[in-house]
Amino acid sequence: MARRLTQQDIARMAGVSQTTVSLVLNNRADSEVRISPETRQRVLRVIRETGYIADPAARRLAEGRNRILGVFTYEAVFPATSADFYHPFLVGIEECAEEVGCDLLLFTSARVTGQRRRIFNEDSRVRLADGCVLLGRTVDRDDLARLIADQIPFVSVGRRDDAGGPVPYVGADYVAATRALVERAARLGHRRLVYVGTGEGAESTADRFTGFQAAVTGLGVESVQVRPDRPGLLEAVRATGAGAAFFEEQADAVVFMQAAAEGGLAVPEDLSVVTLGSATRPVRTDTDFAGFLIPRREMGRRAVELLTKVLETGGTPQELLPCELIEGSTLIGR
Amino acid sequence: MARRLTQQDIARMAGVSQTTVSLVLNNRADSEVRISPETRQRVLRVIRETGYIADPAARRLAEGRNRILGVFTYEAVFPATSADFYHPFLVGIEECAEEVGCDLLLFTSARVTGQRRRIFNEDSRVRLADGCVLLGRTVDRDDLARLIADQIPFVSVGRRDDAGGPVPYVGADYVAATRALVERAARLGHRRLVYVGTGEGAESTADRFTGFQAAVTGLGVESVQVRPDRPGLLEAVRATGAGAAFFEEQADAVVFMQAAAEGGLAVPEDLSVVTLGSATRPVRTDTDFAGFLIPRREMGRRAVELLTKVLETGGTPQELLPCELIEGSTLIGR
DNA sequence: AGAATCCGCTAATACGAATTATTAGTGGGT
DNA sequence: ACCCACTAATAATTCGTATTAGCGGATTCT
């Protein structure tokens, strides 16, 4: 097995010292340090010819940084079930990482403990990267607290509640987006709305409910809540007498539409339907729902941007990106 | 920024040497090395109390490996057009990487030179990983030769011809799968077959043609070849008088089906249709083609398995995985 | 009796790159 | 002849962990 090339090897080939190779590599041109153009070129040529690349572990150990950004996901990234969910984020992350000249390390090695992955296992490689981006519908609170306590630079994609301290994140502004949709319904004359969803669990879910309630209260509109998993959902929604239904989860709306068609409920003539963001669970539908788009790609990009900023100057950035509203065809006046 | 705890710190607190801490941590109980139970417990207690975790960078440096596997693709992975092609491979790769405890480094930053990516560009990061998996419809011969010459551990997903030496790969057995399909057609009474495809180019394509010809010759069945890109493909195929058409590329078969429907050719009543593997170009079709499935996910898994084996013991593994035959509804007797 | 082995632990060193301190050489000014 | 400023490079050290060689005394084997 061929030993990995080291700066020492390059130095030998170029007839200089390891120090010189390091200096050339890091493009140091301070007044402190001088390398003649010829020597520099000679070293660079050997490096080019051999395709030498610095060992990230050694570099990290010596310098303290890597130009490697870790990406941690709580579920496997690629499998089809979650691919649709992660994909847009990854596109954004990848784009921005390329721009800032960082490589991406997918922490696929994190073993699944119980049902999900955990960041800190026996030998977590999190510290191999300069910092990392956290991705997942929900994030383990203990992991977050540990990251904060250990002062590991990271940015969460998706807003997170405090976990032993403020969590750096870039999220989507579900509160504002949901409020805007409620306001639109109100402008169209709706006086009674039904919220179909749990309103609890992950922050993203809670935010939708928060926005809904705030808007409803502010506008003096009547509202009721219905759990999406209850049997006879169609009848339950019908019984509320609401003119518009707000679905926390698009997948539930898709199922509902099917039931409505079978049950003789016309959408949007009899009932308007609004979905609060694109589906997290993949569903196929032809319905052009009124709702909003989660700026997933932008979130990915921004997370990397913020992470590099954190690495440079520290801090705990918290940002919410606006969601684009979708006109759709399922919300009409009454 | 608080300095991290080191083994030295732990050693001081426990009143032992750094070596002892390391030995306790790694649970070494060889005959080579002995630690008394009391000392061990004392060290473990300090570790537990402080929440010490070894620095992965230092650990990797000492161990000499990164546990990072590179994944090189000749086209961008994420964009939707190629996503369907790469996805199943990546699923397998990720699965297995997780099992063997390795992280994945996507060489997405490899710049595109001309039309395609090249492995060895200005600042190739290939050497950053312990080894890498090559993915792509076709792979550059020069790149392969370079990898072999430089003794960089790698495994290609897909069989490759020698390139200045044998190439380690895990491929799909297109020869056997194609032969099996020809044999099935023969058993069903077909005495004249037409091969629609170029039969040349990438190894995967050549293998299909090889299998086809070998089977046809062995069985004494007549056969002709038709280029898939010629105008009037439908008539050309018809003119051959063949009872069954073997399509190298499923996408061509889909187009052909459309033309057949319009031209009044009934499939499979008038002509049986067989496709040699799932589509590389994404096509949507409802036709249940007779053909075979490429074990993409398995190939991805196996590639990582073989790569870890190469890393441990060297060698140049070459494996072909069997394709699962699809009964389908487009191949009947005559 | 002398050699070999065991015991529990530590000092020394390796790993690869970055940084520091230092050296050798050169030319100019007084 | 001497000191100084400057150039171009290197030797030595650092980072935190893992490994190897070895310590001196006691026990066991031959």
Side-chain angles (χ1 to χ4, degrees):
Chain A
M1 176 66 54
R3 207 174 48 80
R4 175 189 227 93
L5 271 177
T6 72
Q7 287 189 351
Q8 199 57 254
D9 299 323
I10 305 296
R12 245 189 309 270
M13 296 185 211
V16 297
S17 70
Q18 177 261 320
T19 307
T20 305
V21 176
S22 172
L23 294 175
V24 168
L25 261 171
N26 295 17
N27 212 9
R28 294 268 306 258
D30 317 5
S31 51
E32 299 288 311
V33 162
R34 266 166 279 266
I35 305 286
S36 71
E38 306 91 65
T39 306
R40 182 179 297 274
Q41 285 313 312
R42 190 149 35 92
V43 172
L44 283 175
R45 223 196 57 229
V46 176
I47 290 175
R48 215 178 318 114
E49 283 172 359
T50 56
Y52 165 83
I53 186 79
D55 181 330
R59 177 175 254 166
R60 169 107 184 119
L61 187 58
E63 189 193 18
R65 54 184 345 217
N66 246 211
R67 301 203 77 68
I68 290 182
L69 302 183
V71 178
F72 186 89
T73 59
Y74 275 92
E75 296 97 16
V77 194
F78 295 125
T81 46
S82 53
D84 292 341
F85 176 72
Y86 283 120
H87 193 265
F89 291 121
L90 288 172
V91 173
I93 290 172
E94 192 184 336
E95 276 180 8
C96 191
E98 191 169 339
E99 283 168 24
V100 301
C102 285
D103 283 312
L104 288 183
L105 189 59
L106 301 189
F107 291 118
T108 42
S109 68
R111 283 315 191 78
V112 174
T113 309
Q115 288 291 29
R116 343 184 51 222
R117 283 182 174 162
R118 291 297 302 270
I119 296 183
F120 295 98
N121 47 19
E122 302 107 75
D123 67 352
S124 140
R125 255 170 296 258
V126 174
R127 291 209 92 111
L128 233 181
D130 291 342
C132 65
V133 172
L134 251 58
L135 210 49
R137 298 151 217 258
T138 60
V139 167
D140 190 278
R141 289 291 289 266
D142 297 337
D143 282 350
L144 276 181
R146 180 72 185 269
L147 284 169
I148 294 171
D150 287 8
Q151 297 182 273
I152 295 177
F154 76 102
V155 172
S156 157
V157 175
R159 187 183 78 74
R160 308 291 168 197
D161 291 329
D162 282 13
V167 178
Y169 64 76
V170 48
D173 196 345
Y174 297 123
V175 174
T178 304
R179 177 186 298 141
L181 287 172
V182 172
E183 284 167 359
R184 198 169 116 211
R187 271 201 307 280
L188 287 168
H190 290 277
R191 289 297 114 189
R192 189 171 172 76
L193 308 177
V194 55
Y195 184 92
V196 185
T198 63
E200 54 191 32
E203 286 87 347
S204 56
T205 307
D207 286 357
R208 287 172 168 91
F209 194 51
T210 301
F212 180 81
Q213 290 198 295
V216 159
T217 306
L219 294 165
V221 170
E222 286 180 58
S223 76
V224 279
Q225 180 181 8
V226 172
R227 302 269 157 178
D229 51 355
R230 59 173 292 169
L233 181 61
L234 177 62
E235 281 318 310
V237 169
R238 219 173 207 159
T240 64
F246 284 66
F247 283 83
E248 190 178 84
E249 172 65 70
Q250 181 165 329
D252 291 331
V254 171
V255 172
F256 182 86
M257 292 293 281
Q258 179 67 24
E262 289 165 1
L265 179 75
V267 174
E269 291 76 13
D270 300 335
L271 176 76
S272 284
V273 167
V274 176
T275 62
L276 302 178
S278 15
T280 50
R281 285 175 272 155
V283 245
R284 185 149 296 181
T285 179
D286 295 324
T287 312
D288 175 27
F289 286 109
F292 56 78
L293 285 176
I294 302 171
R296 294 208 172 99
R297 179 163 149 183
E298 256 318 309
M299 288 166 74
R301 289 190 60 90
R302 191 68 184 141
V304 173
E305 270 175 32
L306 290 180
L307 181 54
T308 59
K309 198 164 295 177
V310 168
L311 288 173
E312 279 162 22
T313 59
T316 305
Q318 299 191 323
E319 273 192 21
L320 291 180
L321 302 182
C323 299
E324 187 191 338
L325 296 186
I326 303 175
E327 176 80 30
S329 57
T330 58
L331 171 57
I332 61 174
R334 64 160 16 195
Chain B
M1 178 74 70
R3 204 177 57 80
R4 254 176 84 69
L5 271 178
T6 70
Q7 288 188 353
Q8 199 57 255
D9 300 323
I10 305 296
R12 244 188 310 271
M13 297 185 210
V16 296
S17 71
Q18 176 261 321
T19 306
T20 304
V21 177
S22 171
L23 294 175
V24 169
L25 263 171
N26 294 16
N27 210 11
R28 295 265 309 252
D30 316 5
S31 51
E32 299 287 313
V33 159
R34 261 166 274 267
I35 306 287
S36 72
E38 307 90 66
T39 307
R40 184 178 296 275
Q41 286 312 314
R42 188 151 33 93
V43 172
L44 283 175
R45 224 195 54 230
V46 176
I47 290 176
R48 216 178 318 113
E49 282 170 359
T50 55
Y52 166 84
I53 285 191
D55 180 343
R59 182 172 257 176
R60 296 307 155 221
L61 182 58
E63 274 179 0
R65 19 186 331 200
N66 282 321
R67 293 204 151 278
I68 292 178
L69 301 183
V71 178
F72 186 90
T73 59
Y74 275 93
E75 295 95 20
V77 194
F78 292 129
T81 46
S82 53
D84 291 341
F85 177 70
Y86 283 120
H87 196 265
F89 292 120
L90 290 172
V91 171
I93 290 173
E94 187 183 8
E95 275 180 8
C96 192
E98 181 170 335
E99 283 166 23
V100 301
C102 283
D103 292 319
L104 289 181
L105 188 64
L106 301 188
F107 296 119
T108 42
S109 61
R111 293 302 174 75
V112 174
T113 310
Q115 289 291 31
R116 345 186 47 227
R117 283 183 173 161
R118 292 296 303 271
I119 296 182
F120 296 98
N121 53 13
E122 296 299 304
D123 54 7
S124 147
R125 309 253 173 178
V126 174
R127 286 178 198 274
L128 201 152
D130 289 339
C132 67
V133 171
L134 252 59
L135 210 50
R137 295 250 305 121
T138 58
V139 167
D140 191 278
R141 289 291 289 266
D142 296 337
D143 283 350
L144 276 181
R146 177 78 185 270
L147 285 169
I148 295 171
D150 289 6
Q151 294 183 275
I152 295 177
F154 77 101
V155 171
S156 157
V157 174
R159 188 184 76 76
R160 309 290 170 198
D161 292 329
D162 282 13
V167 177
Y169 64 76
V170 48
D173 196 345
Y174 297 123
V175 174
T178 304
R179 176 184 298 141
L181 287 172
V182 171
E183 284 167 358
R184 196 169 118 210
R187 272 200 307 278
L188 286 168
H190 289 276
R191 289 297 116 191
R192 190 170 170 78
L193 309 177
V194 54
Y195 184 92
V196 186
T198 62
E200 55 192 31
E203 285 87 346
S204 56
T205 307
D207 285 357
R208 288 172 168 91
F209 195 51
T210 301
F212 180 81
Q213 289 198 297
V216 158
T217 306
L219 295 165
V221 171
E222 286 181 57
S223 77
V224 279
Q225 180 180 8
V226 173
R227 302 268 156 179
D229 51 355
R230 60 172 293 169
L233 180 61
L234 177 62
E235 282 316 311
V237 169
R238 220 173 206 159
T240 63
F246 283 67
F247 282 84
E248 191 178 83
E249 172 65 70
Q250 181 166 328
D252 292 331
V254 171
V255 173
F256 182 85
M257 292 294 281
Q258 179 67 22
E262 288 165 2
L265 179 75
V267 173
E269 291 76 12
D270 300 336
L271 176 76
S272 284
V273 167
V274 176
T275 62
L276 302 178
S278 16
T280 51
R281 285 175 271 158
V283 245
R284 186 150 294 180
T285 177
D286 294 325
T287 311
D288 176 28
F289 287 110
F292 57 77
L293 285 177
I294 302 171
R296 292 207 173 100
R297 178 162 149 187
E298 255 319 308
M299 288 166 75
R301 288 190 61 89
R302 192 67 184 140
V304 173
E305 270 175 30
L306 290 180
L307 181 55
T308 59
K309 199 164 297 180
V310 168
L311 288 172
E312 278 163 23
T313 59
T316 305
Q318 299 190 325
E319 273 192 21
L320 291 180
L321 303 181
C323 299
E324 188 192 337
L325 296 186
I326 304 175
E327 175 82 29
S329 58
T330 58
L331 171 59
I332 60 173
R334 60 161 18 195

